[in-house]
């Protein structure tokens, strides 16, 4: 197994473990309350997603007859590679664990700057990745406060280009092209990839290779769904990434707000 293959598995496994603690809490939470919270935050509701066209994989025998793994891998790798040069993005991210919303935020991202709006729209987080500074805007009070820069917090942000690194042929045991699908209004190529105990389905925007949706399943763990809605390449302007002028600046440091839903 190549080092890159191990990294991919460990990255997804780490993401799953980091949010696995939320799973037990979900049993004590009213699913309807969580559903309403997620739908109010996200631009794409559950009902609209049901109207989207999902890919319809063929039977195993059909897949083996029609799809050549090497050809499918090359197509998959080439599609992902389209997004490598995209550095400026706006998107709305949601993580679902076994269908229940666990994390949600809106994000504006450039080479050196990030803005994150929490799912309840009460806080905006502004960070400069180059000089490692961070500020939190309380939108209720209009107060902008400094915050300790958390490298793990910002480097751990999920994005539509989080998995577009160069791929090697033996990173995956199998790669299958599952067809086309309309996801969040965007035409996507759908690929299912397997490696070790990991199964991942990618919905890649045909135009630019950005990941619109990803479903990951590791044996023994719940199903994780990653949504990247309202994708806008070049959608993060200087104004979006800069705190507004009509705010009150505070000196006291505050902690970074949570991005988790229902907590």
């Amino acid at each position: 197994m190549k080092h890159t293959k191990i990294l991919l598995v460990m990255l997804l496994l780490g993401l799953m473990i980091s949010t696995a603690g939320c799973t037990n809490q979900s049993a004590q939470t009213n699913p309807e309350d969580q559903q309403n919270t997620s739908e109010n935050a996200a631009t794409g509701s559950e009902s609209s997603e049901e109207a989207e066209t999902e890919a319809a994989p063929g039977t195993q025998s059909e897949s083996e007859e029609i799809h050549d793994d090497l050809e499918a891998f090359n197509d998959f790798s080439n599609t992902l590679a389209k997004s490598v040069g995209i550095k400026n993005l706006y998107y709305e991210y949601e993580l679902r664990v076994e269908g229940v919303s666990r994390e949600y935020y809106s994000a504006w991202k450039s080479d050196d700057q990030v803005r994150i709006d929490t799912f309840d729209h009460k806080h905006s987080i502004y960070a400069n990745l180059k000089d490692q500074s961070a500020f939190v805007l309380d939108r209720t009070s209009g107060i902008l406060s400094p915050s300790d820069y958390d490298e793990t917090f910002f480097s751990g942000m999920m994005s539509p280009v989080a998995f577009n690194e160069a791929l090697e042929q033996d990173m995956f045991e199998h790669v299958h092209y599952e067809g086309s699908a309309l996801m969040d209004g965007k035409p996507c190529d759908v690929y299912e990839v397997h490696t070790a105990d990991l199964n991942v389905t990618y919905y890649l925007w045909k135009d630019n290779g950005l990941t619109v949706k990803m479903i990951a399943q590791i044996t023994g763990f719940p199903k994780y769904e990653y949504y990247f809605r309202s994708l806008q390449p070049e959608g993060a302007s200087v104004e979006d990434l800069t705190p507004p002028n009509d705010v009150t600046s505070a000196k006291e440091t505050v902690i970074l707000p949570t991005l988790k839903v229902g907590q």
Side-chain angles (χ1 to χ4, degrees):
M1 180 182 294
K2 292 286 188 178
H3 182 58
T4 48
K5 179 178 176 181
I6 297 174
L7 282 178
L8 181 66
V9 175
M10 293 307 296
L11 175 59
L12 284 170
L13 184 59
L15 288 169
M16 292 182 175
I17 292 174
S18 67
T19 52
C22 302
T23 305
N24 292 334
Q25 183 177 346
S26 66
Q28 304 172 4
T29 305
N30 188 328
E32 293 182 359
D33 292 342
Q34 294 242 347
Q35 178 74 17
N36 292 336
T37 302
S38 175
E39 290 180 356
N40 290 338
T43 57
S45 65
E46 188 71 20
S47 59
S48 66
E49 288 170 8
E50 290 176 356
E52 293 172 335
T53 305
E54 298 285 350
T59 63
Q60 183 176 358
S61 59
E62 289 174 343
S63 178
E64 290 174 351
E65 291 176 2
I66 296 173
H67 303 302
D68 175 79
D69 274 355
L70 180 57
E71 181 180 351
F73 170 83
N74 289 334
D75 290 342
F76 172 60
S77 182
N78 291 336
T79 303
L80 269 181
K82 291 181 182 179
S83 65
V84 170
I86 300 176
K87 304 296 183 183
N88 185 296
L89 277 170
Y90 169 77
Y91 59 94
E92 295 164 12
Y93 168 72
E94 182 184 10
L95 166 66
R96 293 184 186 178
V97 182
E98 291 295 334
V100 179
S101 183
R102 292 297 176 206
E103 191 167 299
Y104 180 88
Y105 55 78
S106 301
W108 294 255
K109 193 174 186 304
S110 68
D111 268 338
D112 298 327
Q113 291 179 284
V114 170
R115 170 184 162 190
I116 305 171
D117 281 10
T118 56
F119 74 95
D120 56 10
H121 303 292
K122 291 182 179 180
H123 296 90
S124 292
I125 304 167
Y126 296 88
N128 188 303
L129 308 180
K130 189 174 183 179
D131 63 21
Q132 297 194 334
S133 61
F135 293 86
V136 177
L137 174 62
D138 186 324
R139 292 193 167 274
T140 303
S141 65
I143 297 176
L144 182 70
S145 304
S147 180
D148 291 332
Y149 185 87
D150 187 334
E151 175 67 29
T152 302
F153 182 91
F154 293 108
S155 64
M157 280 181 61
M158 290 292 291
S159 83
V161 293
F163 301 98
N164 67 356
E165 72 279 359
L167 304 179
E168 299 178 16
Q169 290 184 10
D170 60 352
M171 283 181 67
F172 306 108
E173 295 173 4
H174 299 287
V175 178
H176 292 148
Y177 173 67
E178 300 295 330
S180 297
L182 192 65
M183 184 60 55
D184 195 31
K186 300 171 177 62
C188 296
D189 286 325
V190 185
Y191 291 91
E192 186 171 310
V193 302
H194 310 268
T195 178
D197 292 328
L198 173 65
N199 187 53
V200 186
T201 303
Y202 290 82
Y203 292 75
L204 303 180
W205 191 354
K206 289 175 181 284
D207 293 350
N208 49 36
L210 290 170
T211 301
V212 180
K213 177 182 176 181
M214 185 173 69
I215 304 172
Q217 180 88 58
I218 293 179
T219 303
F221 285 86
K223 180 173 71 174
Y224 282 63
E225 301 171 65
Y226 305 86
Y227 293 85
F228 302 96
R229 299 190 182 91
S230 302
L231 273 169
Q232 296 179 34
E234 301 300 325
S237 67
V238 173
E239 290 76 15
D240 293 324
L241 294 165
T242 306
N245 294 323
D246 57 342
V247 297
T248 302
S249 296
K251 294 183 178 180
E252 184 177 355
T253 300
V254 298
I255 63 172
L256 293 171
T258 182
L259 303 177
K260 298 188 183 303
V261 176
Q263 292 190 4

